[in-house]
Amino acid sequence: MRKPATGGRNPGSSMDSLDPNSVVGRKLKSFYESIETEPLPDQLLDLLEKLDEAERKSRSK
């Protein structure tokens, strides 16, 4: 009888690298949370505004 493939991970292990509570998971979460709080660059805001305007114009036709 063959064992199911687990990709080299022990599915019951608390050190599972995909576990959001693992060291890597916590560091990634911290990294992404710090990015979330950064303000959007003015250039990106201008582009979003232009896209919204183009969408409004295309709907009014």
Side-chain angles (χ1 to χ4, degrees), residues 39-52:
L40 290 174
D42 290 337
Q43 200 173 13
L44 179 59
L45 291 173
D46 291 341
L47 176 60
L48 291 172
E49 188 175 322
K50 288 177 183 177
L51 289 169
D52 284 341

Side-chain angles (χ1 to χ4, degrees), residues 8-55:
R9 294 180 283 123
N10 182 356
S13 170
S14 64
M15 296 305 290
D16 186 0
S17 63
L18 298 178
D19 180 3
N21 295 317
S22 70
V23 174
V24 173
R26 287 191 306 270
K27 286 185 179 187
L28 281 172
K29 184 177 180 184
S30 173
F31 175 72
Y32 284 115
E33 285 175 349
S34 70
I35 291 173
E36 276 184 332
T37 60
E38 290 182 12
L40 290 174
D42 290 337
Q43 200 173 13
L44 179 59
L45 291 173
D46 291 341
L47 176 60
L48 291 172
E49 188 175 322
K50 288 177 183 177
L51 289 169
D52 284 341
E53 185 179 331
E55 187 175 293

